[in-house]
Amino acid sequence: QVQLVESGGGLVQAGGSLRLSCAASGRTFSSYAICWFRQAPEKEREFVAVISRSGAGKYYADSVKGRFTISRDNAKNTVFLQMNSLKPDDTAVYGCAAASAFPLLRVGEYDYWGQGTQVTVSS
């Protein structure tokens, strides 16, 4: 089992950057692929990015490709989401999730979830 805690959200102007962190507890962190999802008000949760257990494999949603970068540090049990060139449409609660398989792009396929962190991009 793994517990996930997100941090790094906040308020930023359009065009700015934020780096989100997903810190995991448990000795088996490197056994899990980790993804980031987001949910905007009155919208369904949507896939943002996913990284494989080793970090060699990565997938991104088309809406963030070229602007967001997912990475991980298994020694620190942490996955990062570097978000650049932020747009007001990126405003959402961002959460991370863990699963043994890779790549999984659907919400319902993940086993463990964090609470989320709010990202607000002003125009």
Side-chain angles (χ1 to χ4, degrees), residues 21-114:
S21 297
C22 172
S25 62
R27 293 178 292 177
T28 59
F29 174 72
S30 60
S31 299
Y32 294 95
I34 304 293
C35 77
W36 285 97
F37 287 91
R38 66 185 181 184
Q39 188 166 19
E42 301 181 357
K43 291 188 177 180
E44 291 189 355
R45 191 176 293 179
E46 65 171 346
F47 166 81
V48 174
V50 62
I51 190 166
S52 65
R53 290 172 287 182
S54 69
K58 302 175 185 179
Y59 284 88
Y60 296 92
D62 287 342
S63 58
V64 306
K65 204 171 293 184
R67 299 188 298 123
F68 291 11
T69 302
I70 190 170
S71 61
R72 69 188 296 162
D73 184 340
N74 284 341
K76 296 183 178 179
N77 282 12
T78 305
V79 168
F80 304 99
L81 185 69
Q82 178 66 43
M83 306 187 295
N84 298 329
S85 303
L86 283 162
K87 305 174 183 179
D89 283 349
D90 294 318
T91 295
V93 174
Y94 285 70
C96 59
S100 299
F102 173 84
L104 301 176
L105 307 184
R106 295 184 179 86
V107 172
E109 296 178 305
Y110 282 82
D111 302 311
Y112 306 104
W113 289 84

Side-chain angles (χ1 to χ4, degrees), residues 1-22:
Q1 191 169 354
V2 61
Q3 278 118 19
L4 305 172
V5 178
E6 303 91 339
S7 62
L11 173 65
V12 64
Q13 288 188 332
S17 298
L18 282 174
R19 188 174 83 153
L20 304 183
S21 297
C22 172

